[in-house]
Amino acid sequence: MLKAVMRLFGHDDKPSGRIAKDRLRVVLIHDRANISPEVINHIKDDIIKVISNYMDINQHEMEISLSDDENSVALLANIPVKRIKPQVMSSRNMHR
Amino acid sequence: MSEVIVITSGKGGVGKTTTTANIGVGLAIRGNKVALIDTDTGLRNLDLLLGLENRIMYDLVDVVTGRIPYKKALVRHKKHENLFLLPTSQIRDKSSVNGQQLVDVCNQMRGEFDYILIDCPAGIEQGFKTAIAAADYAIVVTMPEISAVRDADKIIGELNRADKDHIKLIVNRIRSHMVESGDMLNMDDINDILAIECIGQVPDDEMVVTSTNRGEPVISNKKSLAGQAYNNIVGRICGEQIPFLDFRKKSLFDKLKQILHV
Ligand SMILES: Nc1ncnc2c1ncn2[C@@H]1O[C@H](COP(=O)(O)OP(=O)(O)OP(=O)(O)O)[C@@H](O)[C@H]1O
Ligand SMILES: [Mg+2]
């Protein structure tokens, strides 16, 4: 009860039941897709290869995951970019 | 024409055997002829929950290997005369019975019983595959906990893969005060995630433990909330439309009764 009141005043964080639901959603997307962590890692390596042609990226902080978006599953990649490679910018300029 | 129902869960200890015993007794009380088959070979428990542990002569392994006809292995319940248990072996292991063998036994039994309930072992290995092989439909038991729901989802996937797509859900051991404070997955969450028809919401109830101690399933205990919940499940299996219990209201009422000593 006290907890509920605290929540009302924004003193408490998410109820743990809600956290459980959110975590379940994510883990079940992976379970249902039946993709092994190995395959995810291959995808990650391939993405790094392609992106690295154009940008310097922070490989260690890169995150890749599946997520559900209403009715469909999305592949989310969060790739911190350190800088765009100069030759990329110039080649774009050349096309102009 | 009999109906063969498997009670399964993936995760262990969520209440499959308790559910099987209670539904079995409930169906029998309503006048159905019921057989309960324990397929948790090596970890036999259904006999204990029914108070029949001292009456076992033969077991499922004896039947499937053709040593004896199934009728000889059936143990009749003391109180409920149209309830029978086909116990499994406590000394053999899960590989002693395969799916086809269980299908054959159930086919022999179908003519005699209105309902055949199969108590499934935990896990998704051979024992699970054997248990579901003969089933017309499946009841998945889970608890409002993250790991139990995840395993239920996995089991639903496995059942679909085995072309068993007639699946119902029972959520067991609900703690209403935790649901109320937001600290337990609630029924909407679970229905959202698993998306199969729910036929039971059973509260966590100490009377389940005491009735198990006595070998008398809690469904016979009118004072028990879990017993009432099981009774409603049996009604729904028989096709009745019954609303779900509101444990919260009830438990407040119970507390009041306690205070007033009535
Ligand atoms: N609604 C309930 N309230 C309180 N205790 C319960 C409830 N349901 C089951 N239990 C208890 O939980 C324990 C596990 O139940 P049970 O043996 O039926 O689970 P199971 O799924 O068959 O386990 P296993 O996977 O080992 O076969 C038992 O001690 C039982 O008394
Ligand atoms: Mg069991």
Side-chain angles (χ1 to χ4, degrees), chain B residues 233-253:
Chain B
I233 290 170
V234 172
R236 291 183 196 111
I237 290 174
C238 297
E240 293 164 28
Q241 296 286 331
I242 304 171
F244 289 105
L245 291 173
D246 185 347
F247 317 134
R248 187 180 52 87
K249 260 196 222 149
K250 195 75 183 183
S251 64
L252 263 173
F253 181 64

Side-chain angles (χ1 to χ4, degrees), chain B residues 13 15-18 38 40 43 45-46 119-122:
Chain B
K16 294 176 291 297
T17 305
T18 305
D38 190 345
D40 202 347
L43 293 168
N45 276 333
L46 193 49
D119 182 19
C120 178

Side-chain angles (χ1 to χ4, degrees), chain B residues 8-63:
Chain B
T8 179
S9 72
K11 187 170 167 63
V14 300
K16 294 176 291 297
T17 305
T18 305
T19 301
T20 308
N22 279 288
I23 295 178
V25 168
L27 287 169
I29 289 174
R30 283 170 180 248
N32 298 290
K33 191 165 181 189
V34 183
L36 309 181
I37 306 181
D38 190 345
T39 64
D40 202 347
T41 305
L43 293 168
R44 172 167 100 192
N45 276 333
L46 193 49
D47 52 336
L48 276 178
L49 267 68
L50 294 163
L52 298 176
E53 67 275 15
N54 293 325
R55 303 189 166 200
I56 295 172
M57 300 284 291
Y58 302 101
D59 60 50
L60 182 63
V61 178
D62 295 324
V63 175

Side-chain angles (χ1 to χ4, degrees), chain B residues 17 20 22 35 43-44 80 86 93 126 135 145 160-161 165 179 237:
Chain B
T17 305
T20 308
N22 279 288
L43 293 168
R44 172 167 100 192
H80 311 289
L86 178 47
D93 64 49
Q126 176 62 44
E145 282 177 16
N160 284 330
R161 223 158 295 151
D165 29 37
V179 173
I237 290 174

Side-chain angles (χ1 to χ4, degrees), chain B residues 46-90:
Chain B
L46 193 49
D47 52 336
L48 276 178
L49 267 68
L50 294 163
L52 298 176
E53 67 275 15
N54 293 325
R55 303 189 166 200
I56 295 172
M57 300 284 291
Y58 302 101
D59 60 50
L60 182 63
V61 178
D62 295 324
V63 175
V64 299
T65 51
R67 254 167 45 88
I68 52 152
Y70 77 83
K71 277 187 203 226
K72 239 180 147 175
L74 288 177
V75 184
R76 179 178 233 142
H77 196 271
K78 287 172 276 189
K79 223 160 68 196
H80 311 289
E81 294 210 319
N82 41 355
L83 178 64
F84 295 82
L85 170 70
L86 178 47
T88 193
S89 165
Q90 178 69 350

